Amino acid sequence: MNFRPLRNTFAAETFYLPARVNIGAVVFQKEAVIIDSGLEAQAGKRVCRLAREAGWQIVALINTHTHADHIGGNQAIVDQFAAKVFTPDLEQDFARHTLYEPAFLIGGAAPWQDVTNKFLVAPPTPVTAGLKAGSLSWPGREKGPNLQILSLPGHSPDQIGVGCGDVLFCGDAFLGPDLLAAHGIPFNIDVERFLNTLDQILLTTYSTVLPSHGEPLERSELPSVLQVNATKIRELIENVYELLEEPLELETVVAHLCEQEGKTIASIGSFFLYRTAILAYLSYLHGQGRVETKMVNCRLYWSQVGHR
């Protein structure tokens, strides 16, 4: 499968490569900026092969965030095209030192073998610079189309989107409805910022929006998809709150919520992904003043505020 066109703008051509993680491309006078690189080196090599077939020179690679499934092909693209690599500003070191990701998930300890597979640890990547919201000049040119960098945190600490003309590549800012249903408990680390990001995307004027997981959306389709995402997140907030009628430890909350959502945790890595995602709901509820924590016999319990 080749890169598919999205929408031509006055400034550049835009494309995407459909995959488990969609890979974007913005092309100006045969120079290409690639957006995300997939899970592993093979994905990056495929991007390089298709770029050569199209006559593109890859001049830069932008990662919307630094989870392993978005940066796994980085090094292959750097090796073949000497492309500059840009990541969200606060996530630069997660790309350079990829063991930070599993350490982050498990609570800061040194990660062990069960949490250092390719789904959690990508090859380290050299990073040219971190990006903040604003306008980004075309890499290596005094004149060329500017890319717009949007701040879209929530799924990760500093996730960004990349806009060009009427097209927005938005990373994991939301999921397509089918994938949202399949995930059950989507991975986000900051629930409040995730909901704010949905609101921010709704206020944009892009004609086409491409999530990393799902089909491209036209402007008319976007509000309903964003609403489905917001509704699911708010439903999970209330489900977690209702579980805390009695004090529970985090792992018990994880087990109960996964059971409610019909999810079976099959691996150690998946356990920590669910655990982190559910802890984000507890953190949100605590920030809202609806739940509280207490220590009992060296155990941390969560409960609704006012529980006796």
Side-chain angles (χ1 to χ4, degrees):
M1 187 176 294
N2 210 330
F3 277 92
R4 295 179 180 177
L6 282 169
R7 183 182 294 270
N8 293 342
T9 72
F10 66 91
E13 299 174 283
T14 54
F15 302 84
Y16 80 108
L17 183 62
R20 291 182 64 181
V21 176
N22 292 325
I23 297 172
V26 180
V27 181
F28 174 69
Q29 296 181 1
K30 294 298 184 178
E31 291 184 348
V33 173
I34 301 298
I35 300 161
D36 291 329
S37 65
L39 177 63
E40 53 198 344
Q42 192 60 37
K45 291 176 182 177
R46 181 185 179 200
V47 168
C48 292
R49 175 177 58 81
L50 293 174
R52 285 199 171 90
E53 290 175 359
W56 301 346
Q57 174 69 28
I58 299 175
V59 295
L61 169 62
I62 299 176
N63 296 128
T64 59
H65 58 294
T66 56
H67 291 164
D69 60 336
H70 290 253
I71 69 171
N74 280 14
Q75 191 60 53
I77 297 173
V78 171
D79 287 343
Q80 294 196 36
F81 282 93
K84 296 179 179 180
V85 178
F86 300 91
T87 71
D89 188 48
L90 296 181
E91 298 186 26
Q92 294 181 62
D93 284 338
F94 280 80
R96 294 188 181 108
H97 309 286
T98 51
L99 282 176
Y100 284 176
E101 184 62 31
F104 178 86
L105 282 173
I106 66 177
W112 61 96
Q113 184 177 1
D114 292 324
V115 290
T116 55
N117 56 51
K118 70 178 181 180
F119 298 101
L120 295 176
V121 182
T125 298
V127 178
T128 303
L131 299 179
K132 297 181 180 180
S135 182
L136 175 67
S137 299
W138 191 261
R141 280 179 178 258
E142 291 185 5
K143 293 184 179 180
N146 286 347
L147 303 177
Q148 296 304 313
I149 305 301
L150 282 68
S151 177
L152 303 176
H155 175 71
S156 75
D158 197 29
Q159 179 176 244
I160 58 174
V162 181
C164 180
D166 290 331
V167 176
L168 173 64
F169 301 89
C170 69
D172 287 347
F174 63 87
L175 294 171
D178 292 345
L179 288 165
L180 182 63
H183 278 261
I185 306 170
F187 183 85
N188 296 300
I189 65 163
D190 190 319
V191 171
E192 183 172 9
R193 295 180 83 192
F194 177 82
L195 290 171
N196 289 341
T197 282
L198 296 181
D199 291 339
Q200 180 185 349
I201 292 174
L202 185 60
L203 293 174
T204 65
T205 58
Y206 293 100
S207 299
T208 302
V209 177
L210 180 72
S212 292
H213 305 281
E215 296 295 320
L217 296 171
E218 294 304 305
R219 182 72 209 172
S220 60
E221 303 171 288
L222 189 60
S224 63
V225 172
L226 295 177
Q227 184 59 54
V228 167
N229 277 259
T231 298
K232 181 61 180 180
I233 297 304
R234 293 193 173 99
E235 174 189 304
L236 288 167
I237 291 169
E238 296 310 313
N239 289 349
V240 170
Y241 179 75
E242 290 171 8
L243 285 172
L244 300 178
E245 291 180 351
E246 298 293 332
L248 296 176
E249 294 178 87
L250 172 57
E251 280 71 14
T252 305
V253 178
V254 172
H256 287 342
L257 191 65
C258 285
E259 182 179 7
Q260 285 183 5
E261 293 294 322
K263 298 300 171 186
T264 300
I265 300 178
S267 69
I268 304 299
S270 293
F271 168 77
F272 280 105
L273 288 168
Y274 278 117
R275 180 180 180 273
T276 300
I278 292 167
L279 185 56
Y281 291 101
L282 292 169
S283 178
Y284 174 82
L285 286 163
H286 194 284
Q288 295 291 306
R290 298 178 64 191
V291 305
E292 58 190 357
T293 57
K294 61 181 177 180
M295 297 298 303
V296 179
N297 297 328
C298 298
R299 296 175 182 269
L300 176 67
Y301 287 88
W302 296 80
S303 64
Q304 295 177 4
V305 168
H307 171 82
R308 295 181 182 275

